[in-house]
């Protein structure tokens, strides 16, 4: 290709060579970005560099378009027109590839942010739910402990009343023997009635205590259900 024969074609050839060299660099950058994407990596600096290369090729393509139009020989002019169009088409193709990559990358970043926000909200709600469960578990344990203590108190009360009943039976036997003795010595009727009244009071105290204990336990069990 003789530069003199194309009337400025030498300058056009230099611009064309520069455009092809930059296109090769931009194509290599696109391939590297796609490899990074498949490895879940990101390289914003490389994407910016590729964008600058494509912009520079477009600028060189505009210069080539002005230069080939000034070539006087039609065959040479048609040749450089086709070369200029090819450079422009390849630059456009690389630009579309870069825009698709950036769109996919932006979508992935948005999805990652949404997942992070969702996990943050879920973590906060989960902690709140766990706190509620913990408070309810503590309340249930407190109720169980209170119920167990009341049942133990009830059992203790029943045991005490049972012992009291046994003691009362023994006392009644002793009282009967004492009454027999007193009758033999002529004790007055008023003293005998006093002793019998005391026996009735003891009986009333015993059964009242048992009934009160049973009622309290029944009401507590109904309240904890």
């Amino acid at each position: 290709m003789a530069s003199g024969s194309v009337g400025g074609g030498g300058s056009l050839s230099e611009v064309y060579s520069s455009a092809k060299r930059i296109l090769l660099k931009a194509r290599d950058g696109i391939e590297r970005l796609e490899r990074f994407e498949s490895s879940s990596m990101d390289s914003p600096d490389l994407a910016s560099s590729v964008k600058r290369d494509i912009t520079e090729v477009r600028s060189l393509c505009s210069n080539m378009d002005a230069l080939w139009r000034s070539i006087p020989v039609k065959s040479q002019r048609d040749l450089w027109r086709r070369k200029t169009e090819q450079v422009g088409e390849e630059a456009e193709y690389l630009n579309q590839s870069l825009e698709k990559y950036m769109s996919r990358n932006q979508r992935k970043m948005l999805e990652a942010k949404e997942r992070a926000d969702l996990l943050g909200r879920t973590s906060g709600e989960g902690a709140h739910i766990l706190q509620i469960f913990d408070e309810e578990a503590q309340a249930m344990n407190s109720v169980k402990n209170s119920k167990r203590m009341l049942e133990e108190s009830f059992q203790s009360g029943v045991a005490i009343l049972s012992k009291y009943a046994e003691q009362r039976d023994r006392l009644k036997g002793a009282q009967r023997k004492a009454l027999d003795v007193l009758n033999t010595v002529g004790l007055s009727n008023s003293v005998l009635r006093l002793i019998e009244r005391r026996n009735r009071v003891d009986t009333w105290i015993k059964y009242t205590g048992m009934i009160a204990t049973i009622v309290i336990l029944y009401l507590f069990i109904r309240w904890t259900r």
Side-chain angles (χ1 to χ4, degrees):
M1 182 186 304
S3 58
S5 63
V6 295
S11 297
L12 181 57
S13 178
E14 292 175 358
V15 174
Y16 175 76
S17 297
S18 297
K20 294 293 289 185
R21 176 178 52 80
I22 298 172
L23 279 176
L24 182 62
K25 178 184 175 185
R27 189 183 304 112
D28 179 68
I30 292 291
E31 292 176 354
R32 290 172 59 192
L33 287 174
E34 291 176 348
R35 288 196 298 270
F36 289 154
E37 184 180 16
S38 62
S39 302
S40 299
M41 298 175 61
D42 185 23
S43 180
D45 293 338
L46 179 58
S48 299
S49 177
V50 172
K51 183 66 176 178
R52 288 193 298 270
D53 290 339
I54 294 174
T55 300
E56 186 175 357
V57 170
R58 284 176 166 176
S59 177
L60 292 175
C61 193
S62 297
N63 294 338
M64 290 171 62
D65 187 72
L67 291 172
W68 71 258
R69 295 177 185 277
S70 63
I71 298 176
V73 180
K74 184 178 183 303
S75 60
Q76 292 293 324
R77 188 168 62 249
D78 292 341
L79 174 64
W80 283 105
R81 176 179 59 81
R82 288 193 298 271
K83 288 186 176 182
T84 302
E85 290 175 351
Q86 290 174 357
V87 170
E89 290 173 357
E90 188 169 0
E92 182 62 25
Y93 173 77
L94 293 178
N95 186 65
Q96 291 178 1
S97 298
L98 178 63
E99 289 181 349
K100 290 179 180 178
Y101 162 80
M102 296 180 67
S103 178
R104 291 193 303 269
N105 188 59
Q106 185 177 8
R107 184 169 61 252
K108 289 181 179 179
M109 293 177 61
L110 181 60
E111 291 174 353
K113 182 178 181 301
E114 290 176 351
R115 284 196 300 270
D117 293 342
L118 180 61
L119 289 175
R121 291 194 300 270
T122 302
S123 177
E125 293 173 357
H128 179 63
I129 292 173
L130 289 176
Q131 182 181 0
I132 294 175
F133 284 161
D134 184 61
E135 292 175 353
E136 291 183 352
Q138 292 179 0
M140 290 298 296
N141 289 333
S142 178
V143 170
K144 289 180 180 179
N145 292 333
S146 300
K147 183 178 179 180
R148 186 182 66 254
M149 292 176 62
L150 185 58
E151 290 176 349
E152 292 175 352
S153 299
F154 174 74
Q155 295 296 333
S156 298
V158 170
I160 292 172
L161 292 175
S162 297
K163 291 181 179 180
Y164 180 79
E166 294 176 359
Q167 293 176 358
R168 181 178 177 278
D169 292 338
R170 290 196 296 268
L171 288 173
K172 286 180 66 177
Q175 287 173 357
R176 281 195 297 270
K177 292 179 180 180
L179 288 174
D180 293 339
V181 173
L182 292 174
N183 286 330
T184 60
V185 298
L187 191 65
S188 65
N189 292 332
S190 60
V191 175
L192 295 175
R193 286 194 298 271
L194 178 62
I195 294 173
E196 291 176 353
R197 185 164 58 251
R198 176 58 185 272
N199 289 336
R200 288 195 297 270
V201 170
D202 291 342
T203 302
W204 182 84
I205 292 174
K206 180 185 74 172
Y207 288 109
T208 301
M210 293 179 66
I211 293 172
T213 302
I214 293 172
V215 169
I216 292 173
L217 179 59
Y218 172 75
L219 292 176
F220 181 80
I221 292 174
R222 288 197 59 187
W223 175 73
T224 57
R225 287 181 179 176

